[in-house]
Amino acid sequence: MTGKVYLVGAGPGDPGLLTLRGAELLGRAQTVVYDQLAAPELLSLAPPGCRLVDAGKKAGDHALSQAAINELLAQEALAGRTVIRLKGGDPYIFGRGGEEALYLAERGLEFETIPGVSSAIAAAAAAGVPLTHRGLSQLAILATGHAQNGRDGVDFASLPDGTVAVVMGRANLKSICQGLIKSGRPPQTPAAAVERGATARQKTVVGTLADLPLLADRARLAPPTLLVAGAVVSLRDRLGWFEKRPLFGRTVLVTRARAQAGRLSAIFRELGARVIEAPAIAVRPIEPNPELDQALEDLTGSRLFGYLVLTSPNGAEIFLKALFKGPGDARALFGLKIVAIGPGTAAALTPFGLKADGLPKVYQAEGL
């Protein structure tokens, strides 16, 4: 029985912009073939034992050729595996997803395409530039600044008036701007270049078609960069919110245990920081643990105790798992007042069907 390939749009680089369907599929993947522009955090959604294959591409450095990627997807499907092809942005917008889908279709292999948030849309929005606006532009044109096999790029003279958004445009930024001017757009047309749009490393340069290439060079913009040209760029001063967040431009290292880092990391990302998770601690139960076994026996075998005091989420989880692993259950706690050191510890009781009777006013040992 053959497997199935899912072409999943990973979004522009912000892990929060992955679709719910994409996250659900990653959770049951057996093989993930991922792009360089897919957020590394998304790989943590794959189950243990999942095969992870780097198929990233950047100028002059391809982990796998496109032909090799196509064949890899087919072979993994023929082996009966659930394959996730995790592609930056949207699979079908300048992402070669159409080529990969055709390769699979021609071999009679089953596939499904899960759309993603295109970097052309997300980067512009994060920079405060709506691609369309009733009073300024009712047409948006998406183009690529990357010509294939040495062929000419976009025929700018054939483009109608409207907003022009060019992905992968950094290397040819000067020629693209000149091409737009030669095709009839005024040199003073507002234009913006957005590096790594919609990520914590976003950098935006605003100018005109005439001076944007020089401004981008001075700012040392690097790929991937989106070029947006049109009257809508003038709205950035009022609509640019992304880079105004309080921790934007900062990098935060989170050293908590991996299982507990997610909530803290999410808070920092919401404030605009780039987060690197590097666990410096791992929490594991002591096994065997005769002291805990004795405590459980004392607790369940008498009514000498009035309180069960829990001083950390880890302690609460380990204690209750040990209780439920043995012959006891929640009835062993009958008559006890449960006190937790703080809301995090109290929340650790919820999966066991328990609630804390009290919390200290100050969430520390002295308050407890």
Side-chain angles (χ1 to χ4, degrees), residues 259-260 283-285 292 296 308 310-325 344-352 354:
Q260 297 172 331
V283 179
R284 297 187 180 94
L292 177 58
L296 288 170
L308 172 62
L310 300 168
T311 60
S312 75
N314 292 317
E317 183 178 356
I318 290 171
F319 175 83
L320 291 168
K321 280 185 175 179
L323 173 66
F324 281 78
K325 185 178 180 181
T345 302
L349 303 174
T350 303
F352 299 91
L354 300 171

Side-chain angles (χ1 to χ4, degrees), residues 5-340:
V5 178
Y6 296 88
L7 304 171
V8 177
D14 177 354
L17 293 179
L18 178 71
T19 63
L20 291 175
R21 174 65 169 159
E24 184 265 324
L25 290 171
L26 276 170
R28 54 187 175 93
Q30 293 174 297
T31 300
V32 177
V33 182
Y34 61 94
D35 275 352
Q36 186 240 344
L37 294 178
E41 296 91 334
L42 297 181
L43 299 180
S44 65
L45 299 177
C50 177
R51 183 187 181 194
L52 304 177
V53 182
D54 180 3
K57 298 188 186 75
K58 52 185 177 181
D61 183 12
H62 290 193
L64 291 176
S65 67
Q66 188 60 53
I69 293 171
N70 294 346
E71 183 61 20
L72 173 64
L73 297 177
Q75 290 302 318
E76 290 291 302
L78 288 170
R81 299 172 72 84
T82 298
V83 186
I84 305 301
R85 176 66 173 110
L86 193 61
K87 303 181 68 64
D90 178 88
Y92 282 178
I93 299 181
F94 307 121
R96 302 190 186 183
E99 298 173 35
E100 294 169 2
L102 281 172
Y103 188 89
L104 297 169
E106 289 167 358
R107 285 152 183 78
L109 295 171
E110 191 177 4
F111 69 92
E112 182 179 323
T113 303
I114 291 80
V117 181
S118 170
S119 60
I121 298 169
V129 179
L131 293 184
T132 63
H133 183 279
R134 273 197 308 174
L136 297 174
S137 176
Q138 298 186 18
L139 177 67
I141 303 150
L142 303 186
T144 174
H146 226 31
Q148 184 181 15
N149 300 326
R151 295 184 301 186
D152 292 338
V154 178
D155 179 11
F156 295 108
S158 67
L159 298 181
D161 290 336
T163 305
V164 177
V166 183
V167 300
M168 297 179 286
R170 181 63 186 103
N172 299 317
L173 184 61
K174 184 175 181 179
S175 62
I176 293 170
C177 289
Q178 290 176 342
L180 288 169
I181 293 171
K182 290 179 181 178
S183 69
R185 283 173 169 76
Q188 298 307 309
T189 299
V194 189
E195 175 188 332
R196 294 187 177 273
T199 74
R201 290 185 282 178
Q202 175 174 305
K203 184 189 293 186
T204 306
V205 174
V206 177
T208 66
L209 285 176
D211 63 14
L212 187 65
L214 178 60
L215 295 174
D217 289 342
R218 287 177 177 172
R220 298 183 179 180
L221 288 194
T225 295
L226 172 76
L227 164 67
V228 184
V232 289
V233 176
S234 64
L235 299 176
R236 170 176 161 76
D237 288 343
R238 286 170 284 169
L239 301 184
W241 60 274
F242 193 82
E243 296 164 43
K244 295 178 181 178
R245 294 177 296 170
L247 294 183
F248 183 81
R250 303 293 184 92
T251 299
V252 177
L253 185 70
V254 176
T255 59
R256 298 188 72 178
R258 190 171 300 281
Q260 297 172 331
R263 182 171 177 272
L264 183 60
S265 297
I267 292 172
F268 282 122
R269 289 193 183 100
E270 184 72 17
L271 295 172
R274 177 192 179 202
V275 177
I276 298 175
E277 293 184 0
I281 185 173
V283 179
R284 297 187 180 94
I286 298 171
E287 294 180 339
N289 191 340
E291 292 182 358
L292 177 58
D293 294 339
Q294 184 63 54
L296 288 170
E297 183 178 338
D298 293 342
L299 182 69
T300 58
S302 71
R303 287 291 176 259
L304 298 176
F305 303 100
Y307 289 86
L308 172 62
V309 181
L310 300 168
T311 60
S312 75
N314 292 317
E317 183 178 356
I318 290 171
F319 175 83
L320 291 168
K321 280 185 175 179
L323 173 66
F324 281 78
K325 185 178 180 181
D329 58 23
R331 288 173 294 181
L333 306 179
F334 175 75
L336 291 177
K337 295 287 187 180
I338 301 177
V339 181

